[in-house]
Amino acid sequence: QVQLFESGGGLVQPGGSLTLSCAASGSIFSIYNLYWYRQAPGKERELVALIPVYGTINYADSVKGRFTISRDNAKNTVYLQMNSLKPDDTAIYYCRISRGISDYWGQGTQVTVSS
């Protein structure tokens, strides 16, 4: 059974930066596609960034040029570096890993961008 542990959320002023981490246990991390999603109050969950096992990294248009997703297979961890944060980035951020029918989600971490 895979478990995901997220950390790094918090309160930050507009223009600030945060780095989210998501560590996985019980998995061969390198074979999974890795994702970050977010859900703002009253809105649907949306895909923020995807880093596949093979292929191109993808970002939502709203975060391109500001967010960077990366993976460290040796540490079983996926990161989301978030720069130039805006109030619209306020949401609960979730990590997800998937491969075929195997699909796991983290518990979410709150990011609040406010002055």
Side-chain angles (χ1 to χ4, degrees), residues 50-68:
L50 154 66
I51 184 168
V53 175
Y54 301 106
T56 305
I57 293 174
N58 284 282
Y59 297 94
D61 288 343
S62 59
V63 307
K64 281 181 181 176
R66 300 188 297 122
F67 289 12
T68 302

Side-chain angles (χ1 to χ4, degrees), residues 24-77:
S25 65
S27 69
I28 305 174
F29 197 70
S30 61
I31 67 172
Y32 285 87
N33 299 311
L34 310 176
Y35 312 77
W36 284 99
Y37 287 77
R38 67 186 181 187
Q39 187 166 19
K43 294 186 178 181
E44 294 187 353
R45 191 172 297 188
E46 63 172 349
L47 177 64
V48 174
L50 154 66
I51 184 168
V53 175
Y54 301 106
T56 305
I57 293 174
N58 284 282
Y59 297 94
D61 288 343
S62 59
V63 307
K64 281 181 181 176
R66 300 188 297 122
F67 289 12
T68 302
I69 188 172
S70 61
R71 65 192 298 162
D72 185 335
N73 292 333
K75 294 183 178 179
N76 280 3
T77 301

